[in-house]
Amino acid sequence: MELELAQLPALERYKLLIGLVIPRPIAWVSTFSENGVANCAPFSFFNVISEDPPLCIISFNWRSDGLLKHTLKNIRRTGEFVVNLADEGTANAMHLTGTEIPEAESEFSKFGLTSVPPKLVKHPRIVEAAASFECRLERRIQFGPEREMVVGEILLVHARDGIIDPVTKRISEELYRPVGRLFANRYCTTRERFDLPLK
């Protein structure tokens, strides 16, 4: 089968791309609204793209009502955000925070999450997350009328005790069990791993 994407409706392109490019890491982004309401939501068009400088990228589309997502609105206003990383223990809460709720309502309160003040940015991080990146907006890139990407400089990493070896900075495969996004309501774990010989 060959499919020329320019000939397909956007929804079909979306289904193809998110179904084929799997698993995808998930940015569980936390911010404060202009009125001080703690907001968090998951985004699976996300990845790290550089270590020098340390950068991550997140892609946003608009809400189903055609308005700007609260997270993107808060990032535009403040130039900062926190990316939290979900694991097996927080997967359900992360998934639930993807529900569209009114801006005056907090996903933290609604779904039983704990916010904690950051060190270097204005927005809260999620205590329950396996790790968190405090980020400063490096640039915004607009694609079409309803798609925008933000590049963030990672300023500070928080991690649950034991996840990062303090000497080697290696990540514990035993203690860090992230989840990845597949498609629709499907996710995966990273428990099954294998090595391949070096060339």
Side-chain angles (χ1 to χ4, degrees):
M1 175 181 285
E2 293 180 347
L3 298 166
E4 189 174 344
L5 296 193
Q7 306 302 318
L8 297 177
L11 180 58
E12 290 185 8
R13 293 197 300 264
Y14 175 78
K15 288 192 291 187
L16 278 170
L17 295 175
I18 67 162
L20 289 172
V21 182
I22 57 173
R24 294 186 309 282
I26 303 161
W28 195 9
V29 184
S30 53
T31 56
F32 275 126
S33 73
E34 193 168 13
N35 296 324
V37 177
N39 163 276
C40 62
F43 300 92
S44 62
F45 282 159
F46 157 72
N47 218 316
V48 290
I49 56 171
S50 171
E51 83 290 344
D52 190 16
L55 300 174
C56 64
I57 194 162
I58 309 167
S59 179
F60 297 87
N61 60 356
W62 281 200
R63 287 168 51 100
S64 62
D65 58 11
L67 298 176
L68 207 61
K69 290 207 168 163
H70 302 150
T71 301
L72 181 56
K73 184 177 176 183
N74 297 336
I75 292 171
R76 282 182 173 186
R77 189 185 77 255
T78 65
E80 297 176 343
F81 57 97
V82 178
V83 171
N84 303 277
L85 301 175
D87 61 1
E88 293 175 22
T90 57
N92 190 58
M94 175 273 298
H95 178 70
L96 291 172
T97 61
T99 308
E100 290 184 357
I101 64 174
E103 192 171 14
E105 194 172 347
S106 171
E107 288 87 354
F108 281 83
S109 301
K110 186 173 180 71
F111 301 112
L113 296 167
T114 310
S115 67
V116 67
K119 298 286 186 187
L120 301 178
V121 300
K122 301 175 180 71
H123 300 292
R125 66 181 175 90
I126 300 170
V127 169
E128 292 81 5
S132 304
F133 302 154
E134 293 189 18
C135 301
R136 178 187 303 125
L137 180 64
E138 201 278 343
R139 73 186 64 184
R140 292 173 30 220
I141 306 165
Q142 187 86 31
F143 287 98
E146 295 186 2
R147 177 67 65 180
E148 183 170 319
M149 292 197 309
V150 300
V151 177
E153 180 182 3
I154 302 167
L155 306 175
L156 184 70
V157 175
H158 300 268
R160 190 181 298 142
D161 287 347
I163 287 181
I164 302 174
D165 184 289
V167 176
T168 66
K169 306 302 184 282
R170 298 266 182 204
I171 308 304
S172 168
E173 288 191 81
E174 277 301 306
L175 297 179
Y176 181 44
R177 293 187 170 175
V179 292
R181 181 77 187 275
L182 298 177
F183 49 85
N185 293 335
R186 305 224 2 116
Y187 296 85
C188 65
T189 69
T190 59
R191 287 179 186 258
E192 294 297 323
R193 302 178 184 197
F194 59 92
D195 293 323
L196 292 173
L198 297 173
K199 292 182 180 179

